[in-house]
Amino acid sequence: MEVLISNWSNVQSIPQTFVFPPDRRPGKHTFTMCKEIPVIDLEKAHEGQTRPHIIEQILKASKEYGLFQVINHGVSKNKMDETMGIFKEFFAMPAEYKAKFYSNDPNKSCRLYTSTLNYDKEEVHYWRDNFTHRCYPLEDHIQFWPESPANYREIVGTYSVEVRKFLLRILDLIGEGLGLEPGYFDGELSKIQLLSVNHHVPCPDPSLTLGMPEHCDPNLISMLHQCDVFGLQAFKDGEWVGVEPRTDAFVVIPGLQLRVISNEKLMSPIHRVVTHSEEPRTTIGTFLTPSSDFSIEPARALVSACNPPVYRNYTYKEFFSTFTGRNCEAEAALECFKLST
């Protein structure tokens, strides 16, 4: 069978290699859509009296839910729709064309694969194709991007610049709310930018498989641009709750590095993706990640004799190696860097 699920047609049943063990299946439950996940309007974030309120909303959401949605974020709806459209076109391209980008090599600047980069060794596969490429600096990577569909490089290039500005703006607001110096998250701490697009074809039985595993993001901060099809879930108060698929909003997800830098003031949520029986689902993720050799520790402005650091100093390369070596289990990885009390 063709590896890339975006090349499949008229799928009538789930291949056995995509069927999860009973204890890991999402089951036939009706998952609730959580209406309490905050939707934050950034339109007036630059105004003096409104800015502190918006910062308070962001910090509260990051502590209580671990994620939040943002509207009036500075990226036009037209640009969002145009970019979403170009990725849907990409996944609909002929198999021969997409084969040029197929790779499980994590070091490739531009790669397309099914399930995870560990496809050949994993016991069960996730119901997704993923297309990932690096975005920053744009001039270092754009030549490796697809030339088709038409205008791909122009459209995605402009989009990647705009969403980077958005995420750096969110980081500035978080830093201000935590009491960090301006520009704390600039430079090496947010240098690497990855654009990661998931595509899920309709699944004959969503109760048996997952589009993505339950996980926390190991990076600094993530942003998800959803289409209008439900799939993202967050684990809140012992149950899985749905995140509303708003096509005008970005979902912001603090990563584990923000949890460490904030000295446990912020959380990074456990989240996963379920599949849909009738509609394909495409989402565009953007991830800001520290440089491999950059040193990370709880911000010194947030530690004191009364509030000692929870974690020791480490490089992101060391953290990511530990994270993957612990099967991407956040708590197991973080435990390796905790200071004894």
Side-chain angles (χ1 to χ4, degrees):
M1 176 178 277
E2 168 68 52
V3 172
L4 290 172
I5 65 171
S6 55
N7 293 336
W8 298 357
S9 60
N10 300 317
V11 184
Q12 300 298 315
S13 61
I14 300 180
Q16 194 60 38
T17 52
F18 287 82
V19 177
F20 278 73
D23 62 331
R24 295 181 60 198
R25 297 173 189 172
K28 297 183 181 294
H29 307 293
T30 301
F31 296 102
T32 56
M33 196 73 69
C34 185
K35 299 296 185 181
E36 287 76 37
I37 292 175
V39 177
I40 297 171
D41 187 345
L42 271 198
E43 188 170 30
K44 297 181 179 179
H46 63 281
E47 298 181 6
Q49 293 183 335
T50 310
R51 186 179 179 90
H53 176 63
I54 290 174
I55 290 174
E56 182 183 354
Q57 285 182 299
I58 290 173
L59 292 184
K60 188 171 187 288
S62 300
K63 293 173 183 177
E64 295 183 2
Y65 293 91
L67 52 77
F68 51 93
Q69 303 217 51
V70 178
I71 57 173
N72 293 319
H73 36 61
V75 182
S76 71
K77 185 64 164 59
N78 180 63
K79 174 56 66 178
M80 293 177 71
D81 293 344
E82 187 179 40
T83 308
M84 181 63 72
I86 210 80
F87 282 117
K88 290 180 178 180
E89 283 186 59
F90 174 80
F91 283 106
M93 296 287 283
E96 298 77 21
Y97 178 72
K98 288 184 290 187
K100 299 177 184 179
F101 302 98
Y102 187 85
S103 176
N104 286 326
D105 181 359
N107 296 314
K108 282 199 70 173
S109 179
C110 190
R111 59 186 183 269
L112 172 66
Y113 58 91
T114 291
S115 185
T116 74
L117 293 173
N118 200 36
Y119 183 91
D120 294 331
K121 297 180 180 179
E122 62 193 15
E123 294 181 2
V124 62
H125 305 314
Y126 295 96
W127 194 266
R128 71 155 181 173
D129 283 349
N130 177 273
F131 186 49
T132 291
H133 56 60
R134 299 187 181 194
C135 301
Y136 184 80
L138 192 60
E139 60 271 17
D140 289 354
H141 302 290
I142 197 168
Q143 67 267 27
F144 301 111
W145 297 3
E147 295 184 85
S148 297
N151 299 322
Y152 180 100
R153 293 181 178 181
E154 177 187 349
I155 291 169
V156 178
T158 302
Y159 176 87
S160 66
V161 169
E162 292 186 7
V163 296
R164 181 178 180 84
K165 289 179 181 176
F166 161 70
L167 280 174
L168 290 176
R169 188 180 178 196
I170 292 293
L171 286 170
D172 282 345
L173 293 169
I174 289 174
E176 186 175 333
L178 291 174
L180 305 180
E181 64 266 27
Y184 184 92
F185 294 106
D186 294 349
E188 298 298 314
L189 194 48
S190 57
K191 185 173 183 179
I192 308 300
Q193 179 181 350
L194 293 178
L195 186 146
S196 179
V197 186
N198 285 326
H199 182 70
H200 314 271
V201 300
C203 178
D205 190 347
S207 70
L208 298 178
T209 192
L210 286 168
M212 280 192 72
E214 58 181 76
H215 67 286
C216 293
D217 292 348
N219 54 301
L220 180 65
I221 194 168
S222 310
M223 184 212 81
L224 190 67
H225 172 180
Q226 301 193 87
C227 67
D228 59 356
V229 179
F230 167 74
L232 177 64
Q233 295 182 323
F235 196 66
K236 169 73 171 163
D237 297 331
E239 64 176 353
W240 290 103
V241 295
V243 180
E244 182 182 2
R246 292 188 55 152
T247 60
D248 64 336
F250 291 144
V251 181
V252 175
I253 305 174
L256 292 173
Q257 304 316 305
L258 267 180
R259 178 172 164 183
V260 170
I261 291 165
S262 72
N263 208 35
E264 292 282 313
K265 290 182 181 297
L266 306 180
M267 65 173 286
S268 182
I270 301 172
H271 52 290
R272 70 179 186 182
V273 172
V274 294
T275 60
H276 197 282
S277 62
E278 298 177 2
E279 299 289 338
R281 180 176 181 268
T282 304
T283 58
I284 308 169
T286 298
F287 303 89
L288 296 189
T289 298
S291 298
S292 293
D293 294 322
F294 188 72
S295 182
I296 298 164
E297 63 184 355
R300 293 177 184 179
L302 302 179
V303 300
S304 65
C306 298
N307 188 35
V310 178
Y311 300 97
R312 68 170 175 84
N313 176 292
Y314 58 81
T315 64
Y316 186 70
K317 178 168 58 180
E318 182 185 4
F319 180 88
F320 193 74
S321 175
T322 303
F323 180 75
T324 54
R326 298 293 189 281
N327 295 316
C328 300
E329 293 182 7
E331 298 306 323
L334 287 169
E335 196 64 33
C336 297
F337 300 96
K338 283 188 174 179
L339 294 168
S340 57
T341 55

